[in-house]
Amino acid sequence: MTIRTGIGYDCHRFALGRALVLGGVEIPFERGLEGHSDADVLSHAVTDALLGAAALGDIGEHFPDTDSRFAGADSIELLRSAVGLVSAAGFAAVNVDATVVLEAPRLAGFREAMRGRLADAIGIELARVSVKATRGEGMGFVGRGEGAAAIAIATLRELGE
Ligand code: MG
């Protein structure tokens, strides 16, 4: 069985007047992330990991932030579209692991909901999707609360083997 792995990274700046959406889950907080789409940094990192594992380019190439069709886009739907591209290229997702890096809010109470939404969009069982969170310990843009970042890894298997 041929196994492929991909990595994804993303970051977005916090802004007032925006909803905070992570892994397709809206999380109550005084600020949200700024971006052309819903700025779901976790879904974007996962999307790039899946595209990367299939060597299909990156999220900006498929869903450009200069395209008005993607203004305010639901990133879970972009992830779903990317999974369609990955599948058309002959791959199926095996598992995804991701870490969200942000100073606040605490994500522990939302982890299962985020895993569920990601698993549904990717089309794999919950047990194959992991979401973790860590903080910036006061250092850098994350530590100063200026933004959030996410990193993800995806494993694919080649279909038809
Ligand atoms: Mg992004």
Side-chain angles (χ1 to χ4, degrees), residues 38-128:
D38 61 6
D40 181 342
V41 70
L42 172 57
S43 295
H44 292 181
V46 169
T47 299
D48 258 356
L50 288 162
L51 289 172
L56 287 173
D58 62 34
I59 189 170
E61 194 178 322
H62 294 284
F63 314 107
D65 63 8
T66 49
D67 189 330
S68 59
R69 282 182 302 159
F70 303 121
D74 177 348
S75 297
I76 281 286
E77 291 311 315
L78 302 184
L79 171 57
R80 215 180 285 277
S81 299
V83 170
L85 296 171
V86 165
S87 159
F91 300 102
V94 175
N95 78 296
V96 166
D97 181 27
T99 300
V100 185
V101 193
L102 84 179
E103 210 62 12
R106 288 188 64 85
L107 300 183
F110 304 95
R111 191 195 313 255
E112 294 312 300
M114 293 189 282
R115 289 177 66 207
R117 292 228 63 201
L118 291 168
D120 178 66
I122 300 165
I124 55 178
E125 59 201 89
L126 189 67
R128 293 173 183 264

